[in-house]
Structures are given as structure tokens and as C-alpha cells.
Amino acid sequence: DGGITQSPKYLFRKEGQNVTLSCEQNLNHDAMYWYRQDPGQGLRLIYYSQIVNDFQKGDIAEGYSVSREKKESFPLTVTSAQKNPTAFYLCASSRAGDYGYTFGSGTRLTVV
Amino acid sequence: AQSVSQHNHHVILSEAASLELGCNYSYGGTVNLFWYVQYPGQHLQLLLKYFSGDPLVKGIKGFEAEFIKSKFSFNLRKPSVQWSDTAEYFCAVILTGGGNKLTFGTGTQLKVEL
């Protein structure tokens, strides 16, 4: 079955450490997205990529970095510069020009 | 700034009650509108979407939404809710020509009691 795989489901890190969240899709979608979900704030766009080797900042990119070296993969690094990294992170993908998003199951990051 | 507003943050209903969740957006251009649902422990799922045509759109599980352009609204409705509708509901917007970026509202937590 095609879909988006986010791993791990739960992640714990110490404050000051960088951590990378994985997102892989086998849907042959061109575009991929990272959202952060916090209670009462909905989903906010961190970064997105419309094609391989290109990506743009979303609304809350500070303290995050991404890469898009392969069409299937869009890893997100939460750096030590992110002031409040504990959150639920969702990855999504879509075909170019198609507004139908497919979402992954998310990674819950806890920084202690 | 462009935004999507969901005014009801928490809604509690009894089974068989009617549901209406509000959604307003502030974009001035042509928009594409969505409602997503997130059941406890599950993926975000698309309930319904509006791109053009009939402003009353029907989605899965008996949900419908009406696009009222003059009011910048896209309210979600269901005539009779079930306990299984307990979930968080998100309104979302893509601005045509805006790079395919989906902007979400803050969500409405719906609890349906037996």
C-alpha cells in the first residue's frame, strides 16, 4: 500500500541536542511538507518542498532545517536553536498541482 | 496576514444532536477549502473539499459544508452526530496560486456523549 511513513512514533531528546525526524513516501508525490501541531494552535507549516533539491520556509521555520535529496524523502532536523521543540510533527505529501494532501501518522517529540 | 479562524475550540454534544462548526478565512483571492478530521490516535483524514461549482459539498460519514463567499465562510455540518464522531476537526485553505500550501485553523475538539 502506498503511503507516508514517519519514524519514530515517539522520540525523546535532551535539551541542546539536534534531532532528525524521518519522512518517507512511496506515492510518487512531488511535493512534501512538514507541519507542527500544538494543542489549541492547529497545524503550522514549518517547511515545504515542491521538487527535489528545492525547499521553502513555511510560517515557523526558525530552529528547523530540511533536505530534499530524493523525491521519496524529506527529513526534518530540529536544531538546538528551536526554543520550544516539544510538539507533534506531521509530514504530508501531494502531487504537483493537486491539492489533495496525504498525511503521515506523526512523530511526537519530547525534549527534556 | 492570511488566516483561518475556527471560533469553536471545544464542542460537546449529545448523540443525535445537530452539528455546525464555524470556519472563516481572510484570503482575498480564489481559495480552495477543506475540512479534515483527526480521530484519537489516527491520521488526519480528509472529510470534504471545495474547489468550485456547487457551494454545498458533501463529504464522508454524512458531513457537508457550505461555502458562502460573501461571508468568507465554510461551515461544517452534520444533521445527527454519533459517538464515533468524537474527534478534532480542522478547517484548511489553499490560496489558488499560493504554492499549494495548506493553511489550517486552530481546530475544534468535538466530544459526543452517549
Side-chain angles (χ1 to χ4, degrees):
Chain A
D1 287 340
I4 296 182
T5 302
Q6 288 188 244
S7 60
K9 192 170 183 177
Y10 299 96
L11 191 54
F12 294 87
R13 279 294 182 271
K14 290 185 178 180
E15 194 172 335
Q17 290 181 333
N18 290 356
V19 60
T20 298
L21 281 59
S22 170
C23 178
E24 303 278 333
Q25 54 100 357
N26 60 5
L27 300 165
N28 199 33
H29 284 174
D30 300 291
M32 297 186 74
Y33 313 82
W34 274 106
Y35 286 87
R36 171 181 171 140
Q37 185 176 6
D38 297 282
Q41 297 194 56
L43 283 77
R44 293 177 291 168
L45 183 64
I46 303 172
Y47 267 99
Y48 64 105
S49 168
Q50 306 278 34
I51 57 172
V52 175
N53 292 322
D54 189 37
F55 49 82
Q56 287 79 41
K57 293 182 179 180
D59 300 317
I60 55 165
E62 186 176 349
Y64 300 98
S65 66
V66 293
S67 63
R68 187 86 187 278
E69 296 176 2
K70 297 186 299 182
K71 188 175 186 177
E72 307 80 37
S73 178
F74 191 41
L76 173 74
T77 297
V78 185
T79 75
S80 57
Q82 167 51 231
K83 295 178 181 178
N84 187 19
T86 294
F88 188 59
Y89 291 89
L90 279 167
C91 181
S93 70
S94 69
R95 282 194 294 265
D98 184 340
Y99 299 139
Y101 276 40
T102 300
F103 283 88
S105 56
T107 293
R108 186 166 298 281
L109 173 65
T110 302
V111 176
V112 297
Chain B
Q2 302 162 339
S3 66
V4 180
S5 300
Q6 292 182 244
H7 305 295
N8 314 103
H9 299 296
H10 291 89
V11 173
I12 301 175
L13 295 173
S14 299
E15 267 205 330
S18 64
L19 169 72
E20 181 160 3
L21 301 181
C23 173
N24 290 88
Y25 61 92
S26 66
Y27 296 91
T30 303
V31 295
N32 301 284
L33 300 153
F34 306 80
W35 275 97
Y36 284 85
V37 61
Q38 190 173 37
Y39 297 102
Q42 294 189 28
H43 295 207
L44 268 174
Q45 300 174 38
L46 180 66
L47 267 181
L48 49 79
K49 59 188 178 184
Y50 172 80
F51 288 173
S52 62
D54 189 344
L56 183 62
V57 293
K58 296 190 183 298
I60 60 171
K61 304 186 180 186
F63 287 91
E64 65 179 31
E66 184 174 13
F67 170 53
I68 302 179
K69 189 174 181 180
S70 61
K71 294 185 178 181
F72 298 89
S73 70
F74 190 56
N75 292 354
L76 181 71
R77 300 193 293 247
K78 186 172 184 179
S80 176
V81 294
Q82 301 172 308
W83 177 79
S84 59
D85 292 324
T86 294
E88 190 158 19
Y89 293 81
F90 295 94
C91 182
V93 173
I94 287 180
L95 181 63
T96 302
N100 215 41
K101 293 182 295 177
L102 197 56
T103 299
F104 286 85
T106 52
T108 297
Q109 187 69 51
L110 171 66
K111 181 178 180 182
V112 179
E113 297 178 331
L114 295 170

